[in-house]
Amino acid sequence: MTQLNIEKPIDLLRRLPIDREVLLIAPAGCGKTQALATRAAALIQQGSVRSPRRLLALTYSNKARDNLRVRLRSELPASAQQLVQVSTLHGFAGRVTAAHGRCLGLDMTRTLPEQGALRRLRRDAGISYQNSDYVDGILTRHKRNAGIDDQALLDALADSGCREAVAYEQALRAEGRVDFDDMLRYGARLLKLERVARLYRQHFAGALVDEVQDLSLLQLEMIESIGERRVTYAGDPEQGIYAFAGAEPASIFRRLREREPELVPLTVSYRSSPAVLRAVNALASGTGAPVLTCHDSTKWAEDCAFASLVSTNEDAEARHLLRFIRDYMHGYPERSIGILTRGNRRLSYLLPVLTHAGLTFQDWSVPTHVPSVMALLRRHAAAACADPGSPTTHGERLVELCTADAALGDVTTHDEVRSAVDILLDQVTPGVPLSQVVARMPTPQQPDRPVAPGLHVLTGHAGKGQEFDLVIIVGLEDGKIPDFRATTSVAIAEERRVLHVMLSRAKHSLLITRIENETRTPRWVAPAKRSPWWDLLAEVATEIGARPAR
């Protein structure tokens, strides 16, 4: 068994050679991204990464990728930054597929994944919230198999007896599309070819992998095929919240531990104030998760707090939060505020109130609010619209130019650009062409920062890997947190981890809310049952508002 090393984690990461596999156990806010950047800098300083070879750094999401890039820029001199290639897992699989797909006889004209089109195909195939767990389970199980080609996949789906899965896959083929699971399957299949894997082993001296708990075994096999044992993995079992997307945290950590890597634990929080850590540790009690301590409790101002708010209904909650947010933004204009929810329904009450009051916010569900996407659109709008044509033609040209400007095979950026252009085309009128619609888009504040000052609205899953000065978690009622679809002990345990992720996004302060009466329909108001974790948290929180937070 691997033994815990009591040497200071950063010193250990600087000292270990590139061929020593490392598993960094990193709870939220404990300096994981900085540790990965430090590891990259050390490997370059050791001479283990020399041009033309590169160090590959892989993340799960675009936001996590941007976080790591910012940290690497602060850690590495400009001359060394080009030695690290940062990509999402899907983006890397897309790059491998774009470069070598013909080795498998793949149709290279098929369209990269686009969420809008995929949602339409799913709906037309009869996939809904009522059966999505079942259908997606079948699709994911078969698409995770790197040894299966497209025809064998379709045959396996037919044998499963799931008509919706077959209809969806047939619709993908009919429209010449692939989905995100296809990109991973193609990438993994290609990297099983020794001549392809050898090229990437020669190009990359080693690899860093962020958020390893979000991997599937298929993704881990991709990494192992090119990194061998020259890999530093970082993650936290308590932040495994992507089972619905195929993540297998228990299997991943079991497999990594069997390889006996150097195990480097982090237990000191550099992100959160003592007030926030009270909430994080309260929720973690009894789960086996480590108790986190604050790196320097003296640096936090007296205004840091963990508070709870109980309102009579959704409308009252929205009014209370408006006053709270407006006062906070007035007092701390340089700070960031994250409003986090488990789902989007509650926002239908809050967002109109914020908008009517004149508060601007970044809605993370809308791709036109993504700074990197906005920059691409602005850069290419004039050229895309230079020649005569319809708005649709200009939109297609804009997608092409932006995708070409992104990294080869960057499927996530392509998807975000496509979704953004579709939204912008809805705003085109006879007197306002697409180029003007793009020009009217708000200029991102500090686009190099993953989270800029101001108000942000997002789901708990979207907030993974991010941090905000103030976090407001809305909707701690049973059926919301945990989600009503979580009916097994395994699913409820993951819902608790989702809440843990949401709590641990906060730096200075944290506010949790619930309501006493829920509007089910315009004529039906029912009592709202508190979340099973509400009392645990409210016990260590300060009450605000008129009603007792019990």
Side-chain angles (χ1 to χ4, degrees):
M1 291 297 291
T2 301
Q3 298 296 315
L4 291 179
N5 196 309
I6 61 173
E7 184 177 350
K8 287 184 178 181
I10 294 299
D11 292 340
L12 183 60
L13 291 173
R14 287 180 176 138
R15 179 180 59 79
L16 290 171
I18 196 170
D19 58 359
R20 181 62 172 118
E21 197 167 39
V22 176
L23 175 55
L24 191 65
I25 304 297
C30 290
K32 170 176 60 65
T33 306
Q34 180 61 49
L36 287 173
T38 297
R39 176 69 168 156
L43 294 175
I44 292 171
Q45 291 167 0
Q46 291 172 10
S48 300
V49 184
R50 297 177 183 272
S51 183
R53 303 188 79 190
R54 298 289 187 268
L55 184 66
L56 177 63
L58 294 170
T59 69
Y60 186 79
S61 68
N62 276 0
K63 284 283 188 180
R65 177 198 63 193
D66 295 343
N67 277 349
L68 185 54
R69 281 177 174 167
V70 169
R71 203 60 61 91
L72 285 168
R73 282 200 294 268
S74 68
E75 190 76 17
L76 296 173
S79 59
Q81 291 174 18
Q82 63 179 349
L83 295 177
V84 185
Q85 178 180 314
V86 187
S87 173
T88 64
L89 285 155
H90 285 92
F92 179 69
R95 172 186 172 179
V96 172
T97 303
H100 309 287
R102 289 183 176 82
C103 293
L104 297 176
L106 297 179
D107 180 0
M108 302 307 294
T109 65
R110 294 176 73 181
T111 304
L112 292 174
E114 297 173 348
Q115 288 283 12
L118 297 180
R119 283 192 293 267
R120 172 177 54 80
L121 294 180
R122 287 170 61 86
R123 183 176 61 251
D124 293 346
I127 304 174
S128 68
Y129 78 91
Q130 295 174 312
N131 64 2
S132 60
D133 286 349
Y134 169 68
V135 178
D136 288 340
I138 289 174
L139 285 167
T140 301
R141 183 167 66 252
H142 290 294
K143 291 196 175 193
R144 273 191 223 159
N145 183 353
I148 195 169
D149 62 25
D150 286 349
Q151 184 56 52
L153 171 64
L154 199 55
D155 293 341
L157 293 176
D159 291 341
S160 74
C162 181
R163 290 176 298 178
E164 294 86 355
V166 173
Y168 169 72
E169 189 63 26
Q170 288 176 334
L172 281 176
R173 311 288 177 85
E175 291 197 9
R177 295 184 178 276
V178 295
D179 63 16
F180 289 97
D181 283 340
D182 287 325
M183 296 306 301
L184 292 174
R185 179 168 58 89
Y186 293 152
R189 284 185 65 200
L190 285 163
L191 289 171
K192 280 187 172 294
L193 301 177
E194 177 57 25
R195 64 184 186 276
V196 174
R198 189 185 310 117
L199 289 174
Y200 287 89
R201 286 197 297 269
Q202 292 171 347
H203 184 65
F204 294 112
L208 309 174
V209 183
D210 193 12
E211 305 288 16
V212 67
Q213 74 278 351
D214 296 333
L215 299 181
S216 65
L217 287 174
L218 180 66
Q219 292 166 321
L220 180 61
E221 289 170 3
M222 287 176 55
I223 295 163
E224 290 174 339
S225 67
I226 58 173
E228 297 179 308
R229 290 185 177 269
R230 305 184 313 277
V231 184
T232 297
Y233 299 94
D236 176 19
E238 293 304 311
Q239 295 184 72
I241 62 172
Y242 283 105
F244 70 89
E248 302 170 87
S251 299
I252 291 294
F253 278 98
R254 181 168 57 250
R255 180 154 161 175
L256 289 178
R257 287 176 183 272
E258 288 172 353
R259 296 164 65 93
E260 298 191 351
E262 190 79 37
L263 199 58
V264 183
L266 304 178
T267 58
V268 176
S269 174
Y270 295 87
R271 172 187 296 161
S272 301
S273 69
V276 172
L277 290 179
R278 282 204 311 272
V280 173
N281 287 330
L283 185 68
S285 62
T287 66
V291 174
L292 302 184
T293 58
C294 183
H295 174 249
D296 183 4
S297 59
T298 63
K299 80 170 188 176
W300 298 99
E302 295 181 358
D303 59 1
C304 298
F306 170 41
S308 59
L309 169 67
V310 179
S311 303
T312 54
N313 56 33
E314 297 94 338
D315 291 328
E317 178 183 71
R319 292 193 301 271
H320 292 154
L321 287 177
L322 172 61
R323 290 194 295 269
F324 183 87
I325 292 168
R326 192 156 45 190
D327 290 346
Y328 193 90
M329 294 180 74
H330 177 75
Y332 306 102
E334 76 287 355
R335 291 186 182 179
S336 58
I337 305 172
I339 300 176
L340 275 62
T341 64
R342 177 62 180 85
N344 290 319
R345 184 174 182 274
R346 189 66 139 266
L347 296 177
S348 65
Y349 293 90
L350 178 58
L351 297 191
V353 171
L354 298 177
T355 301
H356 182 73
L359 294 185
T360 58
F361 53 86
Q362 179 177 327
D363 183 348
W364 285 31
S365 69
V366 180
T368 51
H369 283 274
V370 179
S372 58
V373 170
M374 293 167 63
L376 282 171
L377 294 173
R378 286 179 178 277
R379 188 180 308 147
H380 297 291
C385 302
D387 296 329
S390 67
T392 301
T393 301
H394 291 158
E396 291 298 324
R397 180 60 177 156
L398 183 55
V399 172
E400 292 174 3
L401 292 174
C402 291
T403 300
D405 195 9
L408 177 65
D410 189 346
V411 294
T412 45
T413 295
H414 171 83
D415 174 50
E416 289 177 334
V417 167
R418 163 61 69 187
S419 298
V421 169
D422 288 344
I423 291 171
L424 295 172
L425 284 173
D426 289 338
Q427 302 174 35
V428 172
T429 66
V432 183
L434 180 60
S435 57
Q436 288 187 28
V437 172
V438 173
R440 294 189 314 192
M441 293 166 57
T443 302
Q445 294 181 328
Q446 303 180 37
D448 288 339
R449 291 183 56 178
V451 176
L455 185 59
H456 302 256
V457 179
L458 61 158
T459 65
H461 285 88
K464 182 76 173 297
Q466 309 305 310
E467 59 183 39
F468 304 87
D469 294 304
L470 167 66
V471 165
I472 302 172
I473 302 176
V474 179
L476 258 79
E477 302 98 31
D478 196 20
K480 302 294 187 300
I481 305 175
D483 185 81
F484 71 94
R485 291 166 292 189
T487 57
T488 66
S489 59
V490 172
I492 291 172
E494 178 153 327
E495 290 293 307
R496 184 170 182 154
R497 293 196 294 272
V498 173
L499 179 55
H500 177 272
V501 167
M502 295 165 81
L503 294 169
S504 57
R505 300 309 95 199
K507 296 167 61 179
H508 289 266
S509 297
L510 177 65
L511 172 64
I512 58 174
T513 81
R514 70 175 178 88
I515 56 174
E516 295 177 320
N517 302 285
E518 179 185 6
T519 304
R520 302 284 179 86
T521 70
R523 296 185 178 182
W524 180 24
V525 177
K529 184 180 178 182
R530 69 189 68 180
S531 166
W533 304 302
W534 175 269
D535 289 342
L536 189 68
L537 294 170
E539 186 175 343
V540 296
T542 301
E543 302 170 9
I544 65 172
R547 294 184 178 273
R550 291 288 179 183

